[in-house]
């Protein structure tokens, strides 16, 4: 990555927390924010080498970042994560709730553990991080929160009852919290990717799926990061809240 020249950096002096930023979409978001001059907390669960590598890339380009381990489905670990960011940089301007997992199987074969693990991270994790960070943003009277949902939460997907339920929950949560925080100039939006090339989708790609994507190809992580960057950094996005933005090659057209 390359840092933009200082005068073009729209996130200069701002602090961003990106959950699940060691790989995939989260990593691309962290790098996109850093290029705009943000200080970035690169959260991860277990891939410490990958998180360190993302941080090293940002620092080599002249940016600021730190890798912070935390399972964001756990209250104590979320609180520790947010405390560490506050100790280091003293403010949080942007939160991206990106960490997510799948445990795909058809409903009748789905074990309670498969259901619970996905709900715990993909929905409860969004609640825990948003709650912890919103306290800080309310005091600052500004902030941007971006939740990574999915087309599965809008249209359903066989084998993903747990995941679709969590992502639909994220969309409802986004709209409610957007209303609750709006009076303090905090925006809350969701981005709903379709099929993006990452570790998460490497085993589910098929020609069958491409039939449902009007643009006829899978998406790239930088395309999702571009939408997230718009919501975090663009001046026009200050007047956008409670919305869901699809980055899906046209899969969902509401
Ligand atoms: P990915 O490549 O599998 O990366 C997942 C990231 O989440 C990793 O950085 C991982 O960290 C982190 N993570 C996993 N469990 C965690 C936990 N308990 N606490 C904190 N971090 C944790 O996934 P991705 O495809 O980039 O997906 C990112 C987000 O986009 C997810 O919310 C996903 O549901 C959503 N999404 C993806 C697609 C797609 O097509 N790829 C489509 C729609 C929505 P470790 O490396 O440490 O495990």
């Amino acid at each position: 990555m390359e840092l933009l020249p200082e005068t073009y950096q729209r996130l200069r002096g701002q602090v961003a927390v990106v959950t699940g930023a060691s790989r995939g979409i989260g990593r691309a978001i962290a790098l996109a924010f850093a290029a705009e001059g943000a200080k970035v907390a690169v959260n991860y669960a277990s891939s410490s080498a990958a998180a360190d590598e993302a941080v090293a890339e940002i620092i080599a380009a002249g940016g600021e970042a730190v890798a912070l381990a935390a399972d964001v489905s756990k209250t104590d670990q979320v609180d520790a994560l947010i405390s560490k960011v506050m100790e280091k940089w003293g403010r949080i301007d942007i939160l991206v709730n990106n960490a997510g997992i799948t445990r795909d199987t058809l409903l009748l074969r789905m074990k309670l553990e498969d259901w619970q693990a996905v709900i715990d991270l993909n929905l409860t994790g969004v609640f825990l991080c948003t709650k912890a960070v919103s306290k800080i943003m309310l005091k600052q009277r500004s902030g941007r929160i971006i939740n990574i949902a999915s087309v599965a939460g809008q249209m359903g997907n066989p084998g993903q009852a747990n995941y679709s339920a969590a992502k639909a929950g994220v969309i409802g949560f986004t709209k409610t919290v957007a209303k609750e925080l709006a009076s303090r100039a905090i925006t809350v939006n969701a981005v709903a990717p379709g099929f993006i090339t990452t570790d998460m989708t490497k085993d589910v790609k098929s020609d069958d799926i491409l039939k449902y994507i009007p643009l006829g190809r899978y998406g790239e992580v930088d395309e999702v990061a571009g939408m997230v960057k718009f919501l975090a950094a663009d001046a026009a996005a200050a007047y956008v809240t409670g919305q869901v933005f699809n980055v899906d090659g046209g899969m969902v057209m509401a």
Side-chain angles (χ1 to χ4, degrees), residues 3 6-7 9-14 36-38:
L3 221 61
E6 239 175 79
T7 40
Q9 290 175 7
R10 293 178 297 176
L11 295 177
R12 201 168 167 71
Q14 295 198 28
E36 293 277 355

Side-chain angles (χ1 to χ4, degrees), residues 1-231:
M1 63 154 284
E2 261 180 60
L3 221 61
L4 289 167
E6 239 175 79
T7 40
Y8 294 110
Q9 290 175 7
R10 293 178 297 176
L11 295 177
R12 201 168 167 71
Q14 295 198 28
V15 175
V17 176
V18 184
T19 70
S22 50
R23 297 182 283 118
I25 293 169
R27 182 185 192 281
I29 294 167
L31 264 57
F33 284 176
E36 293 277 355
K39 298 168 186 160
V40 187
V42 173
N43 160 252
Y44 66 98
S46 54
S47 307
S48 63
D52 287 345
E53 190 272 329
V55 167
E57 185 168 344
I58 292 170
I59 291 171
E64 262 190 82
V66 63
L68 294 171
D71 175 349
V72 297
S73 68
K74 304 273 185 338
T75 314
D76 52 339
Q77 297 194 34
V78 168
D79 290 345
L81 167 71
I82 300 309
S83 298
K84 280 179 201 155
V85 179
M86 288 302 283
E87 275 161 33
K88 188 163 175 62
W89 289 316
R91 56 183 297 117
I92 297 175
D93 302 282
I94 303 158
L95 167 67
V96 183
N97 285 306
N98 165 80
I101 52 165
T102 50
R103 293 278 185 279
D104 295 356
T105 189
L106 293 171
L107 174 67
L108 291 182
R109 289 195 202 124
M110 191 173 283
K111 298 193 180 84
L112 180 59
E113 302 94 87
D114 301 324
W115 171 268
Q116 202 63 56
V118 171
I119 297 293
D120 283 353
L121 178 61
N122 297 16
L123 184 56
T124 308
V126 175
F127 159 70
L128 293 173
C129 292
T130 304
K131 187 175 171 189
V133 169
S134 65
K135 283 182 203 153
I136 295 157
M137 289 181 171
L138 283 166
K139 281 194 202 133
Q140 290 172 188
R141 293 181 169 268
S142 69
R144 297 201 184 178
I145 299 171
I146 298 128
N147 300 321
I148 307 301
S150 167
V151 292
Q154 298 168 303
M155 60 197 283
N157 195 24
Q160 292 200 309
N162 47 4
Y163 186 81
S164 310
K167 294 299 188 180
V170 166
I171 291 172
F173 177 81
T174 299
K175 293 177 183 179
T176 292
V177 178
K179 288 183 177 176
E180 290 188 15
L181 302 182
S183 65
R184 303 281 179 94
I186 301 163
T187 65
V188 190
N189 290 289
V191 171
F195 276 90
I196 311 298
T197 302
T198 69
D199 293 344
M200 185 178 273
T201 51
K202 67 178 187 303
D203 299 328
V204 296
K205 281 181 163 179
S206 76
D207 288 346
D208 241 24
I209 292 171
L210 287 179
K211 282 193 275 186
Y212 299 102
I213 306 174
L215 285 175
R217 64 171 177 86
Y218 298 104
E220 300 302 326
V221 291
D222 288 340
E223 293 173 314
V224 180
M227 177 60 80
V228 174
K229 190 170 70 173
F230 163 75
L231 292 168

